[in-house]
Amino acid sequence: MGLLPLPKKAMEHLPVEVIGNILSRLGAARDVVIASSTCRKWREAWRNHLHTLTFNSNDWPLYHELTRSRLEIIVTQTIFQTNGLQCLSIMMDDVDEFSAAPVIAWLMYTRETLRELHYNVRTTPNINILEICGRQRLEVLALAHNTITGVEPSYQKFPCLRSLSLSYVSVSALDLSIFLTACPKVEVLSLISLDIVLSDPHASMELSTNSLKDIYVEAISLNKIILEADGLEKLQLKDCTLEVFELVSKGKLRLLKIDDVSVIHLDIGESAENLEIVDVSNFTIMWSKFHHMIAKSSKLRRLRLWAVVFDDDDEVVDIETISACFPQLTHLSLSYELREAVIQYGLQGSFQLENVVVLELGWTVISDLFSPWVAGLLERCPNLRKLVIHGVVSETKTHEECQTLAKFTSFIVRLMKKYLKIDVQFEYE
């Protein structure tokens, strides 16, 4: 919803602090400069009360047409006309490399007041961000396309840092571990597409932190990761190739999300007791082993097993066991290859999923087994409010596929006459 324009007199009487907040919400440096040229009062607000400034090469096409030296001058002049910046974002990785000297000047000028720095700049030579911004009051640091070397924890401390994001950064496993210890208050950690240097190809990366609550790891390939984080609440792994991932924690984990991960040994230890959300997709699992890992999660409210492949063809997800182990479950999402055993053994027993109110079921290749599977699960969810059917419908369908889809459509129409209070939705791709 857009902001209504203020009357001219109201604009004239706005305090400069409020104007500074307005300019800060614009974010993009070009927009801030244009807006601040309105009058003397707005220029004063830009100089003394602007707290957020963003240089993003995607915000203005002309960034790509300017020479490197001209662009450096524009950024330098813009930053140096401000006082007390708290959030600085420089996202310029897809323009020419900057000289190191002006970039160092930007950071040195703002570092004492900065609380948040998003830095994605290529420089010649590389700049040691930790050396420049260490021992300051940064609370959020996001680095991309950079190199971290020779971390000195006694000198490069980040005593106030609460959120750390590293994307496409080259760093040794040892330096990353030391860097984390230099951030005693960090609660959120994001590691994306890191180039991790190991002294030995078979060595493990060991990270230890007492303050961490949320970790996101994407596109990382390693032999072994050991994470020791007593207070961890959220663990997310995506598009990773690992032989071993071990979590050493004290049972505060509430969310476990795994997407397109190849891992031989996954161990979350005794961290499953307080799990509330388990979301696993595009993953090969040994169900008996995975279930044993999360079986103590009596507080589990959401369970999603989507596009999973079972390591053993004879394995079956036992819904009765899910019902017994997770009595507080409210959302259940299942999509995997159906076999006769899934219907025969997976739905046996007289169990009820009493608290499940949302049920999502999906197929990649539809078969005649899908209809009885849906019917069987509906019978066991007496308080269901919403059913979502996900399906993949190929552009070139055989006559048999068309017949199967037609049968399912007729079946679901008949079924819904029995469950009039359930909201049924279809999402096909």
Side-chain angles (χ1 to χ4, degrees):
M1 185 175 181
L3 295 174
L4 294 174
L6 290 171
K8 185 176 181 181
K9 287 186 177 180
M11 290 288 287
E12 291 175 353
H13 291 90
L14 279 177
V16 287
E17 295 85 357
V18 174
I19 298 172
N21 287 333
I22 294 172
L23 292 174
S24 296
R25 288 181 178 273
L26 293 177
R30 177 174 177 269
D31 295 338
V32 172
V33 172
I34 293 173
S36 65
S37 63
T38 305
C39 64
R40 183 181 300 174
K41 194 172 184 179
W42 281 65
R43 285 193 292 274
E44 181 190 346
W46 172 30
R47 288 193 300 270
N48 299 317
H49 299 282
L50 183 73
H51 54 75
T52 301
L53 191 60
T54 300
F55 297 90
N56 191 320
S57 53
N58 294 323
D59 288 343
W60 190 29
L62 196 59
Y63 278 135
H64 298 273
E65 300 176 15
L66 297 172
T67 63
R68 183 183 71 179
S69 59
R70 181 59 182 156
L71 188 53
E72 290 171 353
I73 291 171
I74 290 174
V75 176
T76 302
Q77 289 178 338
T78 306
I79 290 178
F80 277 36
Q81 291 184 67
T82 66
N83 290 299
L85 273 182
Q86 296 179 21
C87 177
L88 177 61
S89 179
I90 309 175
M91 313 298 285
M92 293 282 191
D93 69 297
D94 59 349
V95 298
D96 288 341
E97 288 187 341
F98 289 120
S99 301
V103 179
I104 292 173
W106 306 338
L107 298 175
M108 293 292 288
Y109 181 78
T110 59
R111 66 177 184 172
E112 290 186 4
T113 58
L114 274 187
R115 299 292 182 272
E116 189 170 332
L117 174 63
H118 299 261
Y119 181 87
N120 187 355
V121 182
R122 300 177 191 272
T123 61
T124 305
N126 184 62
I127 292 175
N128 191 333
I129 297 293
L130 306 191
E131 184 176 335
I132 297 172
C133 297
R135 297 172 294 117
Q136 302 299 325
R137 293 184 287 179
L138 267 183
E139 297 177 6
V140 177
L141 176 60
L143 293 181
H145 296 101
N146 210 264
T147 300
I148 295 176
T149 57
V151 179
E152 296 289 343
S154 58
Y155 178 70
Q156 298 166 347
K157 280 188 175 294
F158 288 80
C160 302
L161 198 68
R162 297 188 181 277
S163 176
L164 173 63
S165 175
L166 303 177
S167 304
Y168 303 94
V169 169
S170 177
V171 60
S172 72
L174 178 60
D175 278 334
L176 181 57
S177 178
I178 295 173
F179 184 18
L180 206 54
T181 62
C183 307
K185 292 184 179 180
V186 69
E187 296 181 354
V188 180
L189 177 62
S190 176
L191 307 175
I192 300 174
S193 296
L194 298 190
D195 178 14
I196 299 176
V197 181
L198 296 169
S199 56
D200 180 343
H202 300 290
S204 61
M205 181 173 75
E206 299 183 15
L207 304 176
S208 179
T209 168
N210 292 322
S211 59
L212 195 64
K213 294 182 179 180
D214 185 342
I215 185 170
Y216 177 85
V217 182
E218 179 181 344
I220 288 181
S221 299
L222 281 176
N223 181 55
K224 186 176 183 178
I225 296 179
I226 300 175
L227 174 63
E228 186 175 347
D230 289 345
L232 195 69
E233 297 178 4
K234 296 180 181 180
L235 170 60
Q236 299 180 72
L237 303 175
K238 181 178 181 180
D239 193 23
C240 293
T241 301
L242 309 167
E243 289 193 17
V244 177
F245 184 94
E246 291 183 10
L247 172 63
V248 181
S249 186
K250 289 188 175 180
K252 294 185 179 181
L253 195 66
R254 294 188 296 108
L255 179 146
L256 174 64
K257 187 171 184 179
I258 302 171
D259 182 9
D260 197 14
V261 172
S262 174
V263 58
I264 297 174
H265 178 70
L266 174 65
D267 183 7
I268 62 172
E270 301 299 319
S271 303
E273 290 185 5
N274 290 301
L275 273 173
E276 297 177 8
I277 301 173
V278 172
D279 186 335
V280 180
S281 57
N282 304 298
F283 187 59
T284 299
I285 65 172
M286 185 178 292
W287 171 246
S288 58
K289 189 174 180 180
F290 186 81
H291 175 264
H292 177 74
M293 183 175 69
I294 65 171
K296 295 181 180 179
S297 309
S298 59
K299 299 178 182 178
L300 197 69
R301 296 183 181 277
R302 293 173 179 260
L303 176 62
R304 184 171 184 263
L305 303 174
W306 208 259
V308 296
V309 177
F310 299 106
D311 193 52
D312 186 344
D313 289 340
D314 295 328
E315 279 194 309
V316 173
V317 175
D318 184 358
I319 308 297
E320 184 174 18
T321 303
I322 288 178
S323 173
C325 292
F326 315 128
Q328 297 186 36
L329 200 66
T330 60
H331 288 63
L332 178 61
S333 305
L334 302 172
S335 175
Y336 42 78
E337 183 183 357
L338 297 178
R339 303 183 304 277
E340 291 286 353
V342 173
I343 310 300
Q344 185 176 355
Y345 301 110
L347 294 175
Q348 64 182 359
S350 57
F351 65 91
Q352 297 279 289
L353 294 162
E354 294 282 353
N355 292 312
V356 172
V357 294
V358 177
L359 179 64
E360 296 189 64
L361 303 173
W363 78 72
T364 302
V365 179
I366 192 170
S367 71
D368 290 332
L369 296 174
F370 193 76
S371 295
W373 187 53
V374 173
L377 284 168
L378 281 178
E379 288 178 4
R380 288 158 175 81
C381 299
N383 298 307
L384 194 69
R385 298 175 192 165
K386 184 177 180 181
L387 171 66
V388 184
I389 302 294
H390 298 260
V392 177
V393 181
S394 59
E395 293 183 7
T396 56
K397 295 177 286 294
T398 64
H399 178 70
E400 183 180 354
E401 288 174 332
C402 291
Q403 288 293 100
T404 302
L405 188 57
K407 288 179 183 178
F408 172 71
T409 303
S410 300
F411 159 79
I412 205 72
V413 170
R414 293 193 303 270
L415 191 66
M416 286 306 99
K417 290 180 180 179
K418 181 179 178 181
Y419 300 98
L420 294 175
K421 294 182 178 180
I422 298 178
D423 175 22
V424 183
Q425 298 179 10
F426 298 88
E427 295 187 11
Y428 291 159
E429 57 181 274

